[in-house]
Each structure stands twice: as structure tokens, then as C-alpha cells.
Amino acid sequence: MASLLPTLRLRLVVVFALVALTAAVSASGIAYWLNRDAVLTRTQDAALNDFRQTMEDGAGKLPRRFDCEQLREAALGMARTTQSYDVVLLGEDKDGRRCTVSSSAKDFTYEDVPRKLRTAVNQKRPVTETNAYPYHLYWQRITLGGEPYLVGGGKLVGQQPAPTGYLLKSLAPERDDLNSLAWSLGIATTVALLGAMLLAQAAATGVLRPVRRLADAARRLGEGKLDTRLKVTGTDELAELSRTFNETAESLEKRVAELSGREESSRRFVADMSHELRTPLTAISAVTEVLEEEQENLDPLIAPAVGLVISETRRLGDLVENLMEVTRFDAGTAKLVLDSVDVADQVTACIDARAWLDAVDLDADRGIMARLDPRRLDVILANLIGNALKHGGSPVRVSVRTTEAPDGRGELLVEVADRGPGIPEDVLPHVFDRFYKASASRPRSEGSGLGLSIAMENAHVHGGEITARNAQGSEGGAVFTLRLPRDGSEPADNDGAADGDGPAEGGSRADSADADRTDADDAGTSHPRDQRDHPPGTDRPDTDGGQP
């Protein structure tokens, strides 16, 4: 029913109409049958009573030994009555011959009388206390030539043989009156139905107006306008619903305000902590650079410890820079720095800067121009390609093509596919979550857990998105698809892009994309020396889930 009647207004109107139609048809049917019975009963009673009287006055006064002509005169006299019926009389004349006469031989003859009625009229019943006469008057409604008639008959009581008489009365006037009544009742039913539909429309409007206001308020509440409230009038169920909505909206507003305050405090804490860590981290980095330069001259017993200090210092630096980048996205202070770039050249530069040329199979035609933020595109590519190399192994296939978005804008598609075992289905929805760990038992990974999240934010800044799926077929592997508008100035919402002073994660330096797929790690800021320690595509012992 919901598919046939999609709106509540239509359902109310239909229900009202059906109820009104049922009531009107029932009332009209009852009225019609009561009137029909009354009209026909009145007509037949009047005709039969008149016929009984004329039988007594006409045929009953015939001489004991009458002839057929006298019987005909009696029939004609009986037919000259206000009831307008034809008469057929049967009897035996003075010579014992059977006479059958009619007041109108062309309209009514003895053959027109139903056999069943003849049998009932001629049947003699014993006289008892409950049956005073041996013969009775009987009637039947018939149709002749498509017209309704009343046929009645009776035998004179007395010395037999006595005349038997039959009447034929047309019921056409009563039929016409009943047809007029039926039309009148049909018109009344139609008027009642239209009135019910108008009433249903008015009732639906009265019921749906507060429902519509409630729907509009809920829509505004869903859009973030938490101060939305409904005006409550009355004490009915709809008023109670509006009152409940207001209480819910008030509670939600307080809860969101509380959570927003906590989130703002957390964001401010992360930002302040990141800024505060930069100063001591700068000093530590300077010391590690000195240690790195002298690492070959160090005692072999302490050289591994120095190497660990150097790598962990760089990892801490990456984490601080990425945390600062995240705080810019959350605060909405980041901006795009757009430029027209050749996408193929941009991808090639990203791969070359990280020494991945031998590990990446690039399928991109030169001349595909797009207006994007080059640094942010480099960050996205570094994370996706580095992630594929780390977990899927080489060669990684990177393809670039153009298409048209549903809104008609030109769209850039960059697909990064590896040949690894793919991503577990339960992990796929979370690969872009911050600090996501596929295995809680191994919380440590070499990345910061923010790389894919930052890549997604950079895609959103351009008005695009990144999706992850597993390839079908024998090759398998994970496939990350980047969709960006070819003109980054077209998206209406450019908030959330990082500002120009943010760190170039995996940008102009020859960085190693330290992107842990299941940790959603970043393209990092590891130096070329890290690449020799952990070549792209090799497994690292602390990889937590995802692809081996």
C-alpha cells in the first residue's frame, strides 16, 4: 500500500473516501431496497384488493347459468377500474362449454399466466379453523417483453364450478420511479464522496501541518542548527511529539556544545604540544645530524644505539609535523595554493624524488593538465604509492586518466594498484582513520598512523576523494583510486586545505613514503638513508595488520 499511496495526505484522503463511499453506498442501498419494497407492496396490495372487489362485484353477480358473452362483459367491467389492469376470466357456460375471455386479447391471454400460478389458484384446500376458505388469491411478478408486470389470480368461492379470474398489471411506472430514486441516491452518494474527500483534505492539512513543521525542524537540526525549536500549542499527541522534539533538541545542543568544547581543548592541546616540541626537537635533530656524520667512526658496540636514536628522532619529527598538519585541517585554517600542472610530470617527479622509478609502472599520458595544489598532490601520491610498495611489493602500477563527473565537470582519476594479498574486508572501512591499528596487540608501527588520513584530507580540500578496494581476478592486490576535479578552483568548499606554511610531507625532499596501510600512516619525512635500511616494498617487522 505504501508504494501505491506514497504520501500520508493521499492515504488519509483515500481512507476517508473509502469510509464515506462504504457508508454512502450502504445507506443508499438500504434506502433503495426499503423504498422498492414499499412501492411494490403498496402497488400490488392496491391492485389485488381492487381485483378481489371487482371479482365479487363483477363475476360474482353473474347468473348461475351464464353464457360466454356475459362473462366477457364481466371481464370488461372489471378492467374498467382505477388500477388499470387487464383481466382474463375462465368459466363454464350454461351449455357446459369452457369459456376463456380477456378484456384485452392482444395484451393479456390465459397463456401469459405462469403455470405455477395457475396450479396454486386452482388448488382446493380443506377448510379448517386456520383456513376459512378453500380458494385463495395468489400473485407473482413476471417480465413480458422486457417490461415488469404483476400477475394475480383467484377463484370465486361458492357453488362450483365458479369463474376463475386473473389480472395483469404493468409495473413500469413503479420501475421508473425506482430508477429515478436510484439516480438520486447515486448523485447523493457522489456528493457525499466529494464532501468526504474535501473533509479528508482539510483534516489531512490540519494533521500534516505540524508534521511538516516537525520534519522541517528535524532537517534543520540535521544541518547543524541545534537551536531549532518548535512552537507547542495544545495538548494532543502532536503537541506532545513537538514537546519531546524540543527536549531532545535542547539535550542534543548541550551535549554537542560539551563535546565541541572538549574537542576544541584537545585540538588546542595537540597544536600547543606540537609547537612546544619543535624547539627541543630542533636541538635534538642537530645533535643527531652530528652523530650521523660520525656514525662510521663510532665504536661498533654503540653504533646500533646511535642509529636507533637517529631513526627515532626523525620519526618523532615526522609525527610532530603531521600532528601540526592535522590541527590545521581540524581548525579549518588550511588553504590551497593552486597551479596548472602536467599530472604525468607531477607523478614522475614524486616517484623520482623517492627513487621509486624501478619499482613503479607508470601509465600516464603527458599533456593531461589540471589546476591543483602541486605540494598536496605530491603528498597524496607519496602516501598511496609508498603504502602500495610497503605492503604490496613492486611493481606498483600507477595509471592516470580523465573522465567526466556526474555534474559535468572534468575529473582526474589516479589509480594505484599493487599485487599484494589485498586488504582484509573488515579493515577496508578504516584504512583512512587516524591512528587505526588492524591489530591491537601490536600497537607500534614505523609510521605515524596519519598518512592516509592526511592524504584523504588533501583530496577533500580539492573537492575530491580517495577510495580503497581489493582487485578482482588472479592478480589480486589493493587498489586506491584518487578522484580530483581538474580545476581545483571549482569546488565551493575549499576549507580544510592546509596553508602554505605547513610541512611538505614527502614533498620536495627525497623522502621515503613511510605509509602503513592498516595504520593509515603518512608519507613521512624519513631520509634517503632510511630507504637503504628498509627498501620500498620490503616487509618491516612491526607492520600491524594490512598486507604482509
Side-chain angles (χ1 to χ4, degrees), residues 379-410:
V379 171
I380 298 172
L381 294 172
N383 275 286
L384 297 183
I385 298 173
N387 193 59
L389 288 171
K390 177 180 177 183
H391 295 284
S394 60
V396 170
R397 179 177 178 81
V398 179
S399 61
V400 179
R401 65 182 187 275
T402 59
T403 185
E404 186 173 297
D407 57 4
R409 296 184 305 168

Side-chain angles (χ1 to χ4, degrees), residues 116-130:
K116 194 173 182 180
L117 182 61
R118 297 181 203 172
T119 302
V121 169
N122 291 318
Q123 183 178 1
K124 185 177 181 179
R125 291 172 173 78
V127 177
T128 63
E129 292 182 359
T130 58

